Amino acid sequence: MKDYYKINEISKLYGIGVDSLRYYERLGILKPRRDTNGYRLYDLKDMYKLTVIRDLRKLDFSMAQIKDFLEGQCVENTLSLLREEQEMLDAQMEEILRRKELIGRRISSLDAAKRESGSKTVWKKIPERRCVRIEQYITRDEEMDFVIRKLHRKYEDRIQDLGTQTIGAFFAVEDMERGIANSYESVFFVLEEPGECDFVLPEGEYASLCYRGRYDQNGERVRELKNSIERAGRKAAGTPFEIYRIDNRDTMLEEEFLTEIQILLEQ
């Protein structure tokens, strides 16, 4: 084993760019000696420091923290750093488990949606749903995508993963009564965790109808659902809205889209 290594050798060995090695030198963390031709030469002590830098950077320690550790290295500081590493790993594991649970729920939801035949009214008992929303008149799918992103930005501290989020929209009722389909007055997210909300979808019995394909058929589907409610001798107690169970977050094929229309019923 050599006593000294040139910068290109160290770069390849550690997978660290030459510019990063020079940056560490400017910070005073690495202090390579120079040969007679002015080339940097790194010794075993520098290699030890690079190992520490690489490991701590993977845990998102700042270069300032790493420099302080290397300059004041002792058993007590090492123990302190190890405990900090342990806490960070615990937090990362907690986040991984949270993400795993979310993904598991999404897989179950998509599997159930794939099996849904649709086009048939069903009656559902649904618990209270706390929601946040943004009110905006929407007439195009592109506008819907933009408003969903806008709502997500507003609540991104509470809704980290848009891909697993339950998303819905309230129809523009006046347009629908005039025969204009695929227009909306607001978009909402159903919150998974307790906390402040903009409104509540109340607990109760809902008439539900799923349909596949393009959204421009929703006016016809709402009429079907309302007719089913009438034939059953029931009365609507709320405004119809859509829940997007399979949409462009999951597929580019419109024929695979699955949308659920729900209307709260009088008790």
Side-chain angles (χ1 to χ4, degrees):
M1 187 173 182
K2 297 191 296 184
D3 291 330
Y4 294 97
Y5 293 80
K6 291 183 179 179
I7 192 168
N8 287 329
E9 293 177 305
I10 290 292
S11 177
K12 289 178 183 177
L13 182 64
Y14 282 87
I16 298 173
V18 169
D19 288 341
S20 293
L21 291 169
R22 292 179 179 138
Y23 173 61
Y24 300 156
E25 185 179 347
R26 289 197 300 273
L27 291 176
I29 296 175
L30 298 181
K31 298 176 182 177
R33 58 172 293 222
R34 301 280 181 148
D35 67 9
T36 54
N37 295 317
Y39 292 114
R40 293 173 175 83
L41 296 175
Y42 295 84
D43 61 18
L44 297 179
K45 186 180 291 186
D46 292 318
M47 294 173 70
Y48 161 74
K49 289 182 178 179
L50 282 171
T51 300
V52 173
I53 292 169
R54 183 185 59 190
D55 292 346
L56 294 184
R57 288 298 291 155
K58 285 180 182 177
L59 293 169
D60 294 328
F61 280 82
S62 70
M63 291 308 302
Q65 288 174 302
I66 295 170
K67 183 180 179 182
D68 287 345
F69 170 71
L70 288 171
E71 288 179 348
Q73 193 173 13
C74 63
V75 170
E76 198 55 46
N77 285 347
T78 299
L79 281 170
S80 177
L81 188 72
L82 288 171
R83 291 187 183 105
E84 194 171 345
E85 281 188 60
Q86 189 177 51
E87 288 175 5
M88 292 176 69
L89 289 169
D90 285 343
Q92 289 175 6
M93 288 173 65
E94 187 176 327
E95 175 61 16
I96 288 169
L97 290 174
R98 187 193 71 82
R99 290 278 305 142
K100 183 179 179 181
E101 183 184 353
L102 280 176
I103 290 169
R105 290 209 301 264
R106 185 60 180 155
I107 288 170
S108 297
S109 175
L110 276 175
D111 278 339
K114 275 179 60 181
R115 296 191 297 269
E116 176 66 60
S117 59
S119 299
K120 180 181 177 182
T121 299
V122 296
W123 318 100
K124 289 185 173 182
K125 293 276 191 181
I126 302 178
E128 176 183 280
R129 290 166 286 180
R130 301 172 66 80
C131 307
V132 293
R133 73 176 158 197
I134 187 167
E135 295 184 1
Q136 187 163 327
Y137 182 60
I138 301 166
T139 58
R140 294 183 302 164
D141 292 345
E142 296 82 1
E143 293 173 329
M144 175 68 77
D145 290 338
F146 176 78
V147 174
I148 287 171
R149 296 289 173 182
K150 188 175 176 182
L151 183 59
H152 183 229
R153 282 198 302 273
K154 184 176 179 182
Y155 291 99
E156 61 187 352
D157 58 326
R158 299 178 62 186
I159 301 166
Q160 297 179 7
D161 189 349
L162 192 56
T164 60
Q165 181 60 45
T166 301
I167 300 173
F170 279 96
F171 296 108
V173 177
E174 291 183 4
D175 283 358
M176 190 161 282
E177 289 174 350
R178 297 201 305 270
I180 302 172
N182 202 26
S183 64
Y184 306 88
E185 62 183 24
S186 67
V187 178
F188 64 88
F189 294 161
V190 178
L191 297 173
E192 299 289 340
E193 304 295 335
E196 291 185 9
C197 65
D198 295 333
F199 74 101
V200 171
L201 291 170
E203 178 181 6
E205 189 174 12
Y206 286 77
S208 165
L209 184 145
C210 291
Y211 68 90
R212 292 197 178 274
R214 294 171 58 86
Y215 300 120
D216 55 12
Q217 61 180 298
N218 54 29
E220 178 186 350
R221 299 302 184 186
V222 169
R223 286 191 292 274
E224 285 180 22
L225 186 56
K226 286 183 174 179
N227 288 338
S228 295
I229 293 170
E230 237 180 89
R231 286 195 298 270
R234 305 294 300 273
K235 288 186 178 180
T239 303
F241 58 88
E242 287 186 336
I243 297 287
Y244 303 108
R245 294 180 55 187
I246 299 179
D247 60 11
N248 59 9
R249 293 170 294 167
D250 312 303
T251 179
M252 295 297 293
L253 304 175
E254 286 187 333
E255 62 268 25
E256 291 186 334
F257 289 180
L258 182 69
T259 308
E260 180 180 0
I261 300 169
Q262 293 182 5
I263 301 176
L264 178 66
L265 300 172
E266 286 187 357
Q267 300 305 306

